Amino acid sequence: MAGLAYLRPEWLPGVRGQEMPPSFPLYFFFAALQIGQWRARQVRLRNLVALVPDRVTEVTRPTGLVDGWFVAAVAGTFLGGAALALSMFVAGARTYAWSWLGLLALGAICTGVVLCSTLREPVIAEDDGSLAADELLRRQAIATTIPAIYSVPAAFDLVGEGRPPHAFTGPILGYVALCLALQTGVAIAQRHRKLPPGHYGTTDSGTGETTPDTSDNVWRPADGG
C-alpha cells in the first residue's frame, strides 16, 4: 500500500506527483536487494543448522558486533536525512519532505530487521576457532547491509522535475558525501578484521583444500571467551 502512494500520488488529496522524490523507485530497489540478501543468508543458515545440528551451541552470542562506524553510518543516513526532511517541511516543501521521510523510514525498517536478525542468529561452533569465525561472519553480514545506500537517491533528485528547493542543494550533497564516507569507514574497519591465531582445520597436502577437524571431543568455549 505504501508503494501505491508513490506510484499513484494523484490518489492522495492535495498531492501533485511532481512534488514527490522522483528517485523513489531506487529506495524500493535497494530495500528489495537488502531483504533478498538477508533472506538468502537465512536459507543458508537453516540448511547449515539442519546439516550439523550438533554444532548449534548454547554459547552466549558474541557482543559488541555493532561498531562505532556502523552506528555512525546508520545515524547519519536516517537521522541526518530525517533532519533534512523536517527542515524542508518547515521551509514549505511539505510533499517532498514527508514522502522522502517515508522512504527513509522504509530503509531504516529494512536495515533494522536485517541487523536484529543477524544478532539473534544461533551460534554454530565446535571449537574456539569456529566461534571466532562465527563472530567474524556476523560482523561481515552487518557491514554488508550498507545503510548509507539509502542516502544516494537524494543526489539524483537534484536534477530534473520534482527536485527539492535549491537552498537545500548544498546540504543534500553534504549529507550524501558524509553518509558514503561513514560507510567507507565501515568497509575499511571490516577489511582489517582478521581471525585470531588458532586452528581452523587441516590442509590436505594433495589437494590444498581445508578439511574440518573430525575430533569426537565435545567442545566447550574457553574461559572468558
Side-chain angles (χ1 to χ4, degrees), residues 121-147:
E121 288 175 356
V123 177
I124 302 176
E126 60 178 352
D127 53 26
D128 291 331
S130 54
L131 182 62
D134 177 275
E135 178 178 345
L136 187 64
L137 289 173
R138 286 175 194 265
R139 288 183 180 274
Q140 182 179 15
I142 292 171
T144 53
T145 57
I146 316 180

Side-chain angles (χ1 to χ4, degrees), residues 132-175:
D134 177 275
E135 178 178 345
L136 187 64
L137 289 173
R138 286 175 194 265
R139 288 183 180 274
Q140 182 179 15
I142 292 171
T144 53
T145 57
I146 316 180
I149 199 172
Y150 289 103
S151 70
V152 174
F156 291 94
D157 291 341
L158 296 177
V159 295
E161 186 179 13
R163 59 163 295 141
H166 288 275
F168 288 92
T169 298
I172 288 176
L173 291 177
Y175 157 73

Side-chain angles (χ1 to χ4, degrees), residues 1-223:
M1 294 298 293
L4 288 177
Y6 293 90
L7 291 172
R8 296 295 183 182
E10 65 272 14
W11 294 354
L12 300 176
V15 174
R16 294 183 299 173
Q18 63 268 29
E19 296 176 346
M20 303 179 76
S23 64
F24 76 87
L26 288 176
Y27 291 90
F28 291 95
F29 176 70
F30 292 152
L33 285 180
Q34 197 178 49
I35 294 299
Q37 182 183 38
W38 166 66
R39 288 297 300 161
R41 175 179 168 84
Q42 293 299 300
V43 170
R44 292 194 299 270
L45 180 63
R46 285 198 299 268
N47 291 340
L48 182 58
V49 169
L51 184 64
V52 288
D54 56 308
R55 297 183 187 178
V56 180
T57 74
E58 297 299 326
V59 178
T60 302
R61 296 180 180 89
T63 58
L65 299 180
V66 182
D67 62 14
W69 281 110
F70 185 84
V71 172
V74 170
T77 301
F78 301 118
L79 296 182
L84 269 177
L86 290 177
S87 298
M88 292 181 191
F89 188 88
V90 172
R94 297 192 171 187
T95 298
Y96 184 95
W98 69 252
S99 53
W100 184 29
L101 196 59
L103 294 169
L104 289 173
L106 170 67
I109 291 171
C110 292
T111 300
V113 167
V114 174
L115 176 61
C116 291
S117 174
T118 302
L119 294 175
R120 293 176 58 85
E121 288 175 356
V123 177
I124 302 176
E126 60 178 352
D127 53 26
D128 291 331
S130 54
L131 182 62
D134 177 275
E135 178 178 345
L136 187 64
L137 289 173
R138 286 175 194 265
R139 288 183 180 274
Q140 182 179 15
I142 292 171
T144 53
T145 57
I146 316 180
I149 199 172
Y150 289 103
S151 70
V152 174
F156 291 94
D157 291 341
L158 296 177
V159 295
E161 186 179 13
R163 59 163 295 141
H166 288 275
F168 288 92
T169 298
I172 288 176
L173 291 177
Y175 157 73
V176 174
L178 174 62
C179 293
L180 294 180
L182 293 172
Q183 190 65 55
T184 301
V186 174
I188 293 174
Q190 178 61 28
R191 184 179 179 84
H192 283 83
R193 291 192 178 98
K194 305 293 183 183
L195 287 170
H199 178 65
Y200 298 101
T202 56
T203 301
D204 188 326
S205 58
T207 63
E209 295 181 353
T210 300
T211 56
D213 188 352
T214 56
S215 173
D216 292 331
N217 295 332
V218 177
W219 168 71
R220 295 290 184 271
D223 292 339

